[in-house]
Amino acid sequence: MTERPGVSRRRLLISGGLAATVPLRPRESVDNPDSPPGRPARETAYTVPAGTAAAGQGQAPEEPYLDGDEIQGNVVPGFMKPYMGVLALGIGDVAGAKKWLAGVAPRVTTLAEAMQSRAKVRAHRGLGPERLHQLGARPPGMNDVWLNIALSSGGLSRLLSGGDHAGDLGLFADQGFQRGLAARSSLLGDPADPSAEGNPANWVFGGPGREADVLLILAADCEKAGTRLLAEVRAEAAASGLTVLYEESGYKLGATGIEHFGFQDGISQPGVRGRLAGFPGGYITPRAIDPSSRPDAWLYGLPGQYLVWPGEFVFGYPRSGADPLIPGQVNLPGPAWSRNGSYLVFRRLRQDVAGFRAFLAESAQALSVRPGFEGVTPEWVGARLVGRWPSGAPVARVPYADDAVLGVDRLANNVFGFAADAVEDPLAAGLKAGYWPAAKADPVGLTCPMAAHIRKVNAREAANDLGGRRASFNRRILRRSLPFGSPLGEVSGHDPDDGNRGLLFACYQASIEDQFEFLANGWMGSAMRPRSPGGFDMMIGQNGMPGDDRMRSCTVFGRGAVPATLTTMSDFVVPTGGGYFFSPSVSALKEVLAV
Ligand code: N7H
């Protein structure tokens, strides 16, 4: 291969010793061929930097084009709107259901449509510390109303029966999907006691005999438009003979999108590799690191956000390989028409906010009389259980107090690992992060406990029980959740919702068993994993032990590495409904399922 002037080449070793050749170019050559003169600097993050394979030069990984008109938009890039509606339906009369589906399928919002809107929001808000002044801001005139559809294995079975694809349900390899959430509930550690609220027998929908065949997810910029669409679709479905099993609306809380325990949610998502034809930026996930700065800049979208091959989430694309820069096998764990589809896990999770707050207060009081823990507050304990402060600022970067600017700075709030000191990457032209000291290595969880929620569900670059660095790339999920119910006020007393508030938890993945179920059961609900005995995920996790011994504990450290154990018998998060679904491509909806 001929080398261009000014381009040096080095061989570098990436995870496990596989080699890739990456061009190292002088920094001043990183400009943006797509940007018209005068375009705001921060938009450069959404364009393909010169020197990447997408621009026809260099050797960045060659990323596949995702089918923007086929993949449903909540899978990639995600709806991320302030309103979310959920409608669960049962199929009785199959002919009526097919007719209804044929009518609603053309209204499905695609990846390409959602992407145009997301790019506008990103450009409007910026990425760095300037976001603090743009919290919740949307471009003027934005008024999207979106809809996506998913079907359970029961729903697919009804729609496919007697047709050309009647045998295809058996081709879906995932046992979790085949059996459904209610049947897998005990495996997730949900209460086995049939009188317990979290037992499937008591779920508002999705328990035995109330499993949904169809799940619609709606999204809107404006609540009124969202609830109007929900009412419209519900009426159409009922008129076609479908049974309405459940409907609920979720709303973004506060300007930024906190959840009921008071923490900023939706910060860390895997960066999906891939490109979209005709999209001005090229890449689905923005790239913010100057690719000439260091060879492994190609591993990241935003700083600290690992890029993951799309086959981990969408059927029919390459998965992660041993080397994160080289695509693995194409993943199609279902029939041919499942290409461009994705599994959707939906769980209605009630949150015991008063109970969680009381636990934080009691724990802080008990700890603060112990040497090494003087002065700890309920907020300190909460930050140790999550791994982030309420603003989203990671304890790894600011161990002693919250920092609202760091919390919103997407160029800085994910820059930490657990195994090694974090490296601050030079950013692409026009981007600037705020300044905070770099996060230190924390291999045993002295700062961010091993049991912290974010450490339980994402081992980042640290070795874990699955293997060495990055062994967990195929355990990531795309989270698309919003809270339901009104916030509980600060002062305890009358609760108008009687504790009925929580999270409409939704996530997409290519394997329910290996991704959602693995995280819930394998890591959050295990005291010993992903590595060393740090305890349970106290906030979300369940103790899946059979019987009634549902006690959970975890270790946190005070000054001077003094350990302390926190213990509870309470479940702060209680499952109250849900299901496992498959979100097909638009053409599969129209040409396979609705006919
Ligand atoms: Fe979690 N919370 O708001 O307190 N979650 N979660 N989650 N969660 C995260 O990065 C929360 C649940 C993941 O890459 C944050 O967005 C609540 C389930 C993953 O660093 C906060 C509930 C599962 C991540 C919360 C809940 C996950 C994550 C930090 C239930 C999967 C990304 C902010 C009521 C099985 C981790 C952020 C990373 C982050 C909260 C449930 C998974 C604050 C309240 C069931 C993968």
Side-chain angles (χ1 to χ4, degrees):
M1 187 181 285
T2 324
E3 298 223 326
R4 286 182 291 115
V7 176
S8 60
R9 268 175 204 284
R10 286 185 207 148
R11 298 284 293 168
L12 80 146
L13 291 178
I14 299 164
S15 90
L18 292 171
T21 309
V22 172
L24 300 179
R25 294 173 300 103
R27 195 163 306 170
E28 60 276 12
S29 68
V30 179
D31 53 13
N32 175 4
D34 293 335
S35 290
R39 191 174 188 150
R42 64 180 179 235
E43 282 206 54
T44 55
Y46 308 113
T47 57
V48 183
T52 66
Q57 311 161 45
Q59 283 198 352
E62 191 64 50
E63 299 185 20
Y65 281 93
L66 302 198
D67 199 328
D69 297 327
E70 285 283 24
I71 299 169
Q72 299 199 39
N74 201 26
V75 183
V76 182
F79 283 167
M80 314 301 190
K81 292 288 185 187
Y83 170 85
M84 169 177 175
V86 184
L87 181 67
L89 303 167
I91 296 175
D93 165 33
V94 173
K98 280 181 188 272
K99 204 166 154 219
W100 169 78
L101 193 58
V104 79
R107 291 158 80 176
V108 163
T109 308
T110 62
L111 183 161
E113 286 159 351
M115 196 70 201
Q116 299 299 337
S117 173
R118 277 292 292 283
K120 281 187 208 149
V121 176
R122 285 169 178 160
H124 190 72
R125 288 184 191 162
L127 292 169
E130 75 277 7
R131 288 182 81 233
L132 193 64
H133 307 292
Q134 292 285 359
L135 290 181
R138 274 170 296 145
M142 178 162 279
N143 198 5
D144 295 317
V145 193
W146 289 343
L147 176 152
N148 270 187
I149 302 176
L151 296 120
S152 65
S153 55
L156 285 185
S157 155
R158 284 173 183 68
L159 293 175
L160 294 172
S161 68
D164 294 347
H165 298 276
D168 285 3
L169 181 58
L171 299 175
F172 284 88
D174 196 276
Q175 282 309 301
F177 177 66
Q178 289 285 355
R179 303 205 48 217
L181 176 61
R184 304 284 276 192
S185 155
S186 61
L187 179 147
L188 299 173
D190 296 350
D193 175 359
S195 68
E197 180 192 4
N199 186 280
N202 304 310
W203 289 357
V204 298
F205 89 103
R210 285 183 46 84
E211 286 107 337
D213 293 320
V214 184
L215 193 83
L216 280 104
I217 293 196
L218 316 181
D221 285 295
C222 143
E223 174 188 344
K224 218 167 149 190
T227 49
R228 200 184 309 126
L229 179 65
L230 185 63
E232 210 176 291
V233 186
R234 184 212 310 121
E236 286 168 11
S240 300
L242 288 109
T243 316
V244 177
L245 295 170
Y246 160 79
E247 70 176 85
E248 191 141 28
S249 292
Y251 307 93
K252 182 167 149 184
L253 295 182
T256 46
I258 54 167
E259 53 65 60
H260 283 294
F261 290 148
F263 294 89
Q264 180 65 44
D265 202 1
I267 298 172
S268 177
Q269 299 273 13
V272 180
R273 281 195 190 275
R275 294 182 273 159
L276 178 62
F279 181 62
Y283 288 125
I284 303 271
T285 301
R287 312 294 152 104
I289 299 176
D290 175 353
S292 69
S293 62
R294 63 182 178 121
D296 63 359
W298 303 119
L299 290 173
Y300 304 98
L302 296 181
Q305 181 191 39
Y306 283 108
L307 292 166
V308 179
W309 291 89
E312 300 297 340
F313 311 106
V314 187
F315 285 35
Y317 293 90
R319 300 190 66 176
S320 304
D323 185 320
L325 293 181
I326 297 175
Q329 298 277 320
V330 168
N331 188 25
L332 189 60
W337 56 265
S338 67
R339 190 179 140 74
N340 288 314
S342 180
Y343 285 127
L344 164 65
V345 170
F346 175 74
R347 288 202 109 188
R348 184 184 191 274
L349 298 173
R350 190 178 74 74
Q351 290 174 251
D352 176 6
V353 178
F356 184 68
R357 282 183 193 162
F359 174 73
L360 296 187
E362 284 156 20
S363 303
Q365 198 176 22
L367 284 175
S368 61
V369 297
R370 299 181 51 174
F373 291 92
E374 298 87 350
V376 306
T377 58
E379 198 184 48
W380 184 95
V381 180
R384 262 57 194 173
L385 297 191
V386 175
R388 292 184 185 270
W389 296 91
S391 76
V395 295
R397 287 204 80 166
V398 284
Y400 306 112
D402 200 353
D403 185 315
V405 187
L406 174 57
V408 299
D409 188 336
R410 296 189 70 202
L411 300 171
N413 65 12
N414 227 359
V415 184
F416 62 96
F418 300 125
D421 291 355
V423 177
E424 300 268 0
D425 292 294
L427 299 177
L431 294 176
K432 197 164 173 10
Y435 174 77
W436 294 270
K440 294 280 177 212
D442 186 19
V444 292
L446 297 182
T447 305
C448 182
M450 300 302 289
H453 178 55
I454 64 162
R455 199 161 181 168
K456 278 287 187 185
V457 287
N458 184 0
R460 295 190 174 238
E461 73 337 347
N464 55 73
D465 62 338
L466 296 171
R469 299 180 71 203
R470 304 187 190 113
S472 53
F473 268 25
N474 47 4
R475 307 293 170 167
R476 308 298 310 279
I477 52 177
L478 297 171
R479 291 175 299 137
R480 308 293 186 231
S481 319
L482 268 190
F484 68 89
S486 61
L488 183 65
E490 281 304 319
V491 188
S492 56
H494 175 64
D495 176 359
D497 284 353
D498 199 19
N500 189 25
R501 58 178 60 77
L503 196 67
L504 302 176
F505 175 86
C507 71
Y508 291 92
Q509 57 262 288
S511 166
I512 294 174
E513 289 178 284
D514 293 341
Q515 290 165 278
F516 170 76
E517 287 189 344
F518 176 85
L519 294 180
N521 173 42
W523 282 358
M524 292 200 300
S526 162
M528 311 295 289
R529 302 165 70 192
R531 204 181 162 200
S532 65
F536 291 93
D537 179 331
M538 298 289 275
M539 192 172 65
I540 322 286
Q542 314 277 315
N543 177 351
M545 293 293 284
D548 290 333
D549 183 9
R550 294 180 61 80
M551 192 185 87
R552 291 172 298 134
S553 58
C554 77
T555 307
V556 296
F557 291 91
R559 274 182 297 279
V562 181
T565 304
L566 303 179
T567 302
T568 185
M569 284 293 288
S570 309
D571 291 346
F572 304 120
V573 170
V574 181
T576 52
Y580 288 163
F581 303 90
F582 179 69
S583 179
S585 68
V586 173
S587 63
L589 279 172
K590 291 180 184 168
E591 292 158 26
V592 178
L593 299 167
V595 291

